[in-house]
Amino acid sequence: MSNIIAVGFNAASADGEFASLDADLERLASIGVDTVELALTSLDLLAGGRIIEERAARLLEMTSRYPFRYTVHGLVSSNFMDPTTLPYQLTAAKSLVEINARIGAKILVQHGGELSANQIQDRAGADTRQQDALAELAEFAAPHDVRIALENIFTTEPGQYRQTPAEIAATVKAVNHPNLVALIDFSHAYIECTYRGLDFMEQLRAMASVAGHLHVHDSFGRPIGDYKSYFPQEETALGLGDLHMPLGWGDIAWEAIFAELEFLPGTVLMMEINQRYAAEQPACLIRAKQLAQL
């Protein structure tokens, strides 16, 4: 068994206001979704790392109106490798853990860190910085009953330092805390494996044993490179980049992957397929539930 307990979609504010997020939640409820990952940093909930209490209260009121199981995506710009912003990153992440607890969300997504090519002097300690910060955050999250999910990301610029999916798994194992799990983003792994010439399935296997959260969306695993599109649909037309397409639009072998891999107990399968593909979401929900049963 894959140990997947829930399947759902992500949701975000389209304009920084609660109303657009609320409308998306209402739409997801109408198609039978019962689990939602909230991109909370699409709202102004924190300032200087502190919770804006009036807005946090509005969030709680809104989320309480729906019967969803919630998970939370933290800062998309999260980066525990960068020594300059690390103190601010950690403070913000701890505040997000507190918000998680208030709305009953058990997972907080944290992106794997990175260094740009010109941060040569910071490279030697990057992995240790990230591990230490993750250990501190996981310990903080424990009494709140929140698990930190460390997500594999792909290289986005020349000379950038990022960990491979297998290295993300090794980081989770090194921290060795029950409130830290790996998050497999399959498309991210596919793109990074293409870029580095790695075996896609071997990298997924390395992550699976410590993975407690999944991001699912389709692509062709092709790095976007220097290509610049006019409309985002042109990237889809060429199959370039991290496309977040409906299941079946790309060429990821979902059935083969889910038939083989086993994840940690309590894993949530979260589809990062947003309302651009509202017409395709119901079919994706059916297929994802089937994958969870493989």
Side-chain angles (χ1 to χ4, degrees), residues 93-134:
K94 288 179 178 178
S95 291
L96 287 169
V97 166
E98 293 183 15
I99 292 175
N100 266 52
R102 295 184 193 186
I103 66 172
K106 303 298 185 183
I107 285 284
L108 175 64
V109 174
Q110 170 78 22
H111 279 188
E114 56 91 10
L115 292 175
S116 62
N118 63 2
Q119 290 180 282
I120 299 171
Q121 71 282 3
D122 299 321
R123 170 64 186 87
D127 291 347
T128 300
R129 267 193 305 278
Q130 177 168 255
Q131 284 182 206
D132 290 347
L134 288 167

Side-chain angles (χ1 to χ4, degrees), residues 87-214:
Y88 314 126
Q89 293 264 354
L90 193 50
T91 298
K94 288 179 178 178
S95 291
L96 287 169
V97 166
E98 293 183 15
I99 292 175
N100 266 52
R102 295 184 193 186
I103 66 172
K106 303 298 185 183
I107 285 284
L108 175 64
V109 174
Q110 170 78 22
H111 279 188
E114 56 91 10
L115 292 175
S116 62
N118 63 2
Q119 290 180 282
I120 299 171
Q121 71 282 3
D122 299 321
R123 170 64 186 87
D127 291 347
T128 300
R129 267 193 305 278
Q130 177 168 255
Q131 284 182 206
D132 290 347
L134 288 167
E136 182 176 339
L137 183 60
E139 187 65 19
F140 180 85
H144 296 283
D145 194 23
V146 172
R147 293 201 295 184
I148 308 304
L150 183 64
E151 180 176 358
N152 60 293
I153 312 296
F154 56 94
T155 302
T156 58
E157 60 185 42
Q160 183 182 61
Y161 173 67
R162 281 202 186 272
Q163 292 183 324
T164 65
E167 289 167 342
I168 289 286
T171 295
V172 172
K173 291 176 182 177
V175 174
N176 191 28
H177 195 288
N179 289 79
L180 177 67
V181 298
L183 188 169
I184 302 177
D185 187 304
F186 295 90
S187 176
H188 291 178
Y190 193 12
I191 293 168
E192 189 69 357
C193 287
T194 301
Y195 172 69
R196 297 199 190 205
L198 301 173
D199 185 288
F200 180 43
M201 282 304 301
E202 285 300 318
Q203 292 290 307
L204 296 183
R205 291 184 188 110
M207 289 193 77
S209 65
V210 290
H213 200 63
L214 309 174

Side-chain angles (χ1 to χ4, degrees), residues 43-57:
L43 297 167
D44 285 303
L45 293 169
L46 305 179
R50 300 189 308 273
I51 297 172
I52 304 170
E53 292 296 342
E54 182 273 334
R55 282 180 165 252

